[in-house]
Amino acid sequence: MIHVLFVCLGNICRSPTAEGVFRHKVERAGLSEVIAVDSAGTAAWHIGKAPDARTCAVARQRGYDLSALRARQAVADDFLRFDWVLAMDASNLAHLQALRPAEARVEPQLFLPLADELTLSEVPDPYYGGAQGFEQVLDVIEIASDALLQRIQSALR
Ligand code: 4NP
């Protein structure tokens, strides 16, 4: 089993979006028994909460149901359980690098640079912005999710 963890700040906007989008693509590829997907936040503020209503609405319009997801905080043990630890922005990445135990094999990395066609390297935080920000989050996450799935599939061959 390959374990993939997406990480943002609150675990209510960007990383649950990535979890839902990537899981959808994994299911469509028939790889649900091979690839496990989760998400977490670096902050504790929203532990136990469902994703932001704006995030859920934009995701639903594109066919992704995020309603069952609940926020949790990233922990050091995640580095011993996950094969990919993917940060939404550079601040999340710095938090993860500080959390990573010395004996971990996995290194956290930014998610978007997996997709060559993206010029953005960070998923912009949509929390305090307008509706367009949530659409952009979906746009870049869909593209980077395709790239991640290709990377994992070619490693499986
Ligand atoms: P996320 O967005 O990191 O994509 O889940 C945020 C959610 C909540 C807050 C900031 C960003 N907040 O300040 O509560």
Side-chain angles (χ1 to χ4, degrees):
M1 200 86 183
I2 295 158
H3 294 83
V4 176
L5 181 66
F6 297 103
V7 180
C8 62
L9 176 59
N11 194 211
I12 56 169
C13 297
R14 293 165 294 175
S15 63
T17 299
E19 178 181 350
V21 169
F22 187 64
R23 179 175 291 126
H24 185 87
K25 292 178 184 291
V26 165
E27 285 168 3
R28 247 189 6 204
L31 291 172
S32 298
E33 306 302 312
V34 180
I35 304 175
V37 192
D38 194 7
S39 68
T42 59
W45 308 319
H46 301 286
I47 289 172
K49 288 199 201 141
D52 185 282
R54 300 162 295 175
T55 292
C56 287
V58 172
R60 178 164 294 286
Q61 281 168 7
R62 299 195 194 193
Y64 309 107
D65 180 8
L66 307 183
S67 61
L69 304 183
R70 294 295 178 266
R72 73 169 178 91
Q73 190 171 23
V75 293
D77 193 53
D78 287 328
F79 286 92
L80 309 178
R81 293 176 47 222
F82 287 90
D83 304 291
W84 294 82
V85 178
L86 297 164
M88 297 297 123
D89 66 30
S91 168
N92 311 146
L93 180 61
H95 276 95
L96 288 168
Q97 284 163 340
L99 186 63
R100 178 183 178 274
E103 71 270 27
R105 275 183 301 125
V106 63
E107 291 278 358
Q109 60 181 294
L110 287 173
F111 180 37
L112 297 192
L114 291 173
D116 294 331
E117 64 265 50
L118 288 174
T119 48
L120 270 184
S121 62
E122 304 177 77
V123 185
D125 185 343
Y127 192 68
Y128 291 107
Q132 186 52 43
F134 289 86
E135 296 287 351
Q136 186 189 22
V137 166
L138 258 298
D139 290 342
V140 294
I141 282 175
E142 287 184 320
I143 292 168
S145 292
D146 285 329
L148 174 61
L149 188 56
Q150 279 179 17
R151 282 278 289 272
I152 294 177
Q153 280 179 309
S154 50
L156 288 172
R157 278 186 206 114

